[in-house]
């Protein structure tokens, strides 16, 4: 008689749950925001140290647990010492125990010392900027967004953006960082460890991206209500693409060319927007919120909170507090025509 074989049917919900769990597990080790997926020398040094420490800790753990299991097993299979008198009558046993303690203490000291040397040498290795003439970028932490300035001795060559840091692949980047309000912490796990931004005190860190890609980073120091929505992206691109991007960022905003976008610019300049935001070449020089000169070239709004789409931007302008409660941006009252014109204008700020 032939047995009929049927395929096991897995419920779609179970399958989805499995894939989600697998994705979350994998995301912990690789992907765009992970210390275990280094994309530059600084992060690679830290990841290497992590794996060496994990290896040492694993070996020590296995030895300790092995010794414990052995001791328990041996204790259960033979008579214990009755008293101290008997212990001293068994000099061989005493000798073995003494040697065991000496070996264990020596091993502990050697392991701790090795770990100390590795940690200190890694710390000093990552503290030094590698490569010549790093690109300098100034970062200012705000509740809850990142101001990013590309410094240049020639004023026309300076550029300003927010929450998205473009860097050339293979060139070291020196970040000079400060904060206008509270302590924040810059952390792009794939590229470098954390570095605090401190009010009234400039701090410096550096990284180098060796692989082109988009790496997510975030504030790593609790800084208030929207600390969790203080993310940023590092866009590492080939040098030529980076130069092109930077040239474009240095330009003032494109002039509106049709009646809708011209109306949108008027809305921007007459609504409260211009009191907090700048748009290069328009006379809007507010410096409380992000510079919007090239807003439409960015990937997200509200410090990585939402992808930049017209719909999200509309929601954000009308009611930012429902998206990011506590954010400094107040709601803006606009009639539908004004909103459409404003969105059309902002969409031209490439
Ligand atoms: Cu800024 Cu947490």
């Amino acid at each position: 008689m032939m047995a009929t074989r049927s395929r096991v049917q897995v419920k779609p919900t179970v399958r989805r749950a499995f894939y989600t769990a697998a994705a979350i597990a994998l995301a912990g080790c690789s992907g765009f925001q992970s210390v275990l997926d280094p994309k530059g020398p600084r992060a690679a040094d830290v990841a290497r140290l992590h794996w060496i420490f994990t290896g040492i800790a694993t070996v020590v753990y296995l030895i300790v647990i092995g010794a414990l299991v052995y001791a328990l097993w041996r204790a259960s299979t033979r008579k214990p010492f009755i008293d101290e008198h008997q212990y001293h009558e068994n000099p061989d046993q005493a000798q073995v125990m003494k040697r065991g303690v000496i070996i264990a203490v020596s091993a502990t000291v050697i392991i701790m010392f090795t770990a100390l040397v590795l940690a200190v040498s890694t710390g000093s290795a990552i503290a030094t900027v590698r490569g010549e003439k790093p690109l300098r970028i100034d970062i200012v932490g705000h509740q809850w967004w990142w101001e990013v300035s590309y410094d240049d001795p020639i004023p026309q060559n300076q550029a300003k953006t927010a929450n998205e840091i473009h860097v050339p692949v293979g060139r070291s980047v020196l970040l000079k960082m400060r904060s206008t309000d509270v302590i924040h912490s810059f952390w792009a796990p794939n590229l470098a460890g954390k570095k605090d931004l401190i009010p009234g005190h400039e701090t410096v860190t550096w990284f180098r991206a060796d692989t082109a890609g988009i790496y997510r980073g975030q504030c790593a120091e609790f800084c208030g209500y929207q600390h969790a929505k203080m993310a940023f992206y590092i866009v590492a691109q080939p040098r030529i693409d980076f130069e092109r991007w930077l040239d474009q960022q240095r330009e003032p905003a494109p002039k509106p060319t049709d009646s809708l976008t011209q109306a949108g610019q008027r809305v921007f300049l007459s609504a409260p927007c211009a009191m907090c935001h700048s748009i290069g070449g328009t006379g809007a020089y507010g410096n409380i919120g992000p510079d919007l000169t090239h807003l439409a070239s960015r990937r997200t709004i509200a410090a990585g909170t939402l992808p930049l789409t017209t719909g999200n931007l509309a929601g954000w302008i009308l009611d930012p507090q429902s998206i990011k409660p506590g954010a400094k941006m107040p709601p803006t009252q606009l009639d539908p025509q004004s909103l459409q014109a404003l969105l059309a204008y902002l969409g031209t700020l490439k």
Side-chain angles (χ1 to χ4, degrees):
M1 213 170 88
M2 291 268 292
T4 51
R5 283 173 58 187
S6 67
R7 274 175 61 113
V8 179
Q9 290 293 315
V10 181
K11 280 188 183 165
T13 44
V14 175
R15 205 166 40 215
R16 237 184 343 258
F18 173 78
Y19 287 141
T20 308
I24 289 168
L26 287 172
C29 313
S30 65
F32 76 152
Q33 187 179 340
S34 170
V35 279
L36 302 182
D37 187 19
K39 297 294 184 196
R42 270 200 82 164
D45 283 359
V46 174
R48 191 179 313 117
L49 188 67
H50 164 86
W51 287 118
I52 292 172
F53 276 20
T54 304
I56 291 174
T58 306
V59 170
V60 170
Y61 178 79
L62 291 176
I63 290 172
V64 169
I65 294 299
L68 177 69
V69 170
Y70 175 68
L72 290 172
W73 169 77
R74 215 176 58 156
S76 69
T77 55
R78 68 173 214 181
K79 275 193 243 154
F81 290 120
I82 308 298
D83 55 30
E84 199 186 326
H85 178 68
Q86 194 183 8
Y87 175 84
H88 285 297
E89 275 184 350
N90 194 343
D92 281 356
Q93 189 65 24
Q95 211 53 31
V96 168
M97 289 176 84
K98 202 163 149 189
R99 207 180 302 142
V101 169
I102 290 171
I103 289 171
V105 169
S106 311
T108 305
V109 170
I110 290 167
I111 290 168
M112 296 304 277
F113 188 72
T114 309
L116 180 73
V117 169
L118 287 170
V120 170
S121 62
T122 303
S124 72
I126 62 173
T128 322
V129 184
R130 282 170 227 174
E132 288 163 29
K133 211 160 178 308
L135 172 74
R136 182 182 151 173
I137 302 175
D138 292 353
I139 308 278
V140 183
H142 297 262
Q143 282 175 317
W144 293 275
W145 60 282
W146 306 85
E147 183 181 334
V148 182
S149 307
Y150 291 76
D151 193 45
D152 199 286
I154 305 166
Q156 292 96 306
N157 285 350
Q158 292 170 358
K160 211 167 225 196
T161 182
N163 308 320
E164 194 170 299
I165 305 167
H166 287 240
V167 298
V169 168
R171 183 174 171 194
S172 293
V173 177
L174 187 71
L175 300 180
K176 302 238 175 191
M177 308 196 293
R178 58 199 175 82
S179 166
T180 55
D181 35 50
V182 298
I183 298 176
H184 303 275
S185 184
F186 180 93
W187 189 34
N190 300 79
L191 298 169
K194 298 167 187 171
K195 189 75 180 181
D196 282 1
L197 289 76
I198 300 166
H201 173 77
E202 187 182 82
T203 52
V204 177
T205 189
W206 76 278
F207 66 84
R208 192 180 78 207
D210 286 338
T211 312
I214 299 171
Y215 307 109
R216 191 177 186 276
Q218 66 185 63
C219 182
E221 177 85 29
F222 181 72
C223 56
Y225 198 3
Q226 290 301 338
H227 157 69
K229 287 183 180 164
M230 188 169 167
F232 59 89
Y233 284 87
I234 292 182
V235 182
Q237 40 195 180
R239 195 162 293 210
I240 184 131
D241 294 343
F242 168 74
E243 292 296 343
R244 200 179 300 137
W245 174 86
L246 189 57
D247 282 344
Q248 185 208 12
Q249 298 291 312
R250 285 165 173 161
E251 293 292 320
K255 294 235 179 311
T257 50
D258 57 65
S259 56
L260 182 65
T261 51
Q262 282 162 354
Q265 190 186 54
R266 281 196 297 279
V267 171
F268 183 87
L269 294 173
S270 57
C273 318
M275 292 200 290
C276 296
H277 296 281
S278 296
I279 295 183
T282 64
Y285 289 118
N287 61 359
I288 293 171
D291 186 302
L292 303 180
T293 309
H294 296 287
L295 168 71
S297 70
R298 297 178 203 152
R299 286 164 173 75
T300 65
I301 53 170
T305 304
L306 291 171
L308 175 55
T309 62
T310 309
N312 285 342
L313 194 55
W316 176 250
I317 291 168
L318 294 177
D319 189 10
Q321 297 300 317
S322 69
I323 294 168
K324 202 167 167 177
K328 299 282 186 285
M329 178 150 155
T332 311
Q333 311 280 342
L334 290 173
D335 60 69
Q337 282 96 333
S338 301
L339 178 65
Q340 291 304 335
L342 179 60
L343 291 169
Y345 171 60
L346 294 176
T348 66
L349 303 179
K350 293 265 167 60

